[in-house]
Amino acid sequence: MAQYPSVQYVRFYTDGSAARKLEPVAPLKRNTLRLPAQKKSKGKAIYVDPVAILSMAVAVCLLIVMAIGVGKYYAVRAEADDMASYVHYLQQENQRLTQEYAQSYDLNEIKQTAKALGMVPAEQIGSTPIDVSIP
């Protein structure tokens, strides 16, 4: 006798290419109970996100603060330009007054007045150094 292998595979029946005959499925009859209709709760309905509104309000506030800062910046810049032009004016005025003062006095007259008061030129006076020692 021929020996069969020790493992045999189970062979299930398959329809193959034959068309199945469909059986109509009858709807299952259930015992349906009528439950009382639920009352809709009258809760608060929020149609707009409060966080979004708050963030938009903060953005508007920041925009206003930034606009104020830019306005102050331009004001300070204009003031700095005014001060720079004022400094330039004062420098010109100082040069004009210095020239006017230099032209207003006579050096020979000052020298004669100093001699009349008994002053002597610094070149004629001898200097003596003094040594001071701290005890």
Side-chain angles (χ1 to χ4, degrees):
M1 247 203 230
Q3 292 186 350
Y4 291 103
S6 62
V7 177
Q8 293 186 3
Y9 295 99
V10 178
R11 295 185 181 105
F12 294 106
Y13 173 77
T14 56
D15 291 337
S17 62
R20 290 185 175 182
K21 184 178 180 183
L22 297 176
E23 298 176 7
V25 178
L28 297 176
K29 292 185 179 181
R30 294 186 190 171
N31 293 337
T32 55
L33 297 175
R34 282 277 194 188
L35 296 177
Q38 289 183 345
K39 294 181 182 177
K40 289 186 179 179
S41 62
K42 293 184 179 181
K44 292 182 180 177
I46 301 175
Y47 296 106
V48 181
D49 188 15
V51 176
I53 291 177
L54 181 65
S55 62
M56 287 192 308
V58 169
V60 168
C61 290
L62 289 176
L63 183 67
I64 291 170
V65 169
M66 189 172 68
I68 291 170
V70 168
K72 285 184 179 181
Y73 170 73
Y74 283 127
V76 168
R77 190 169 174 182
E79 186 178 344
D81 291 341
D82 292 343
M83 287 295 124
S85 65
Y86 183 64
V87 166
H88 184 67
Y89 166 75
L90 288 178
Q91 288 173 345
Q92 288 178 346
E93 183 70 16
N94 189 19
Q95 288 177 355
R96 186 187 64 78
L97 289 176
T98 302
Q99 289 175 355
E100 184 180 322
Y101 178 70
Q103 293 172 356
S104 69
Y105 59 84
D106 184 22
L107 290 177
N108 289 331
E109 183 182 332
I110 293 174
K111 189 174 185 180
Q112 289 175 359
T113 306
K115 282 185 180 179
L117 290 174
M119 295 184 171
V120 291
E123 299 89 30
Q124 292 179 2
I125 299 176
S127 61
T128 26
I130 299 174
D131 293 332
V132 179
S133 61
I134 300 174

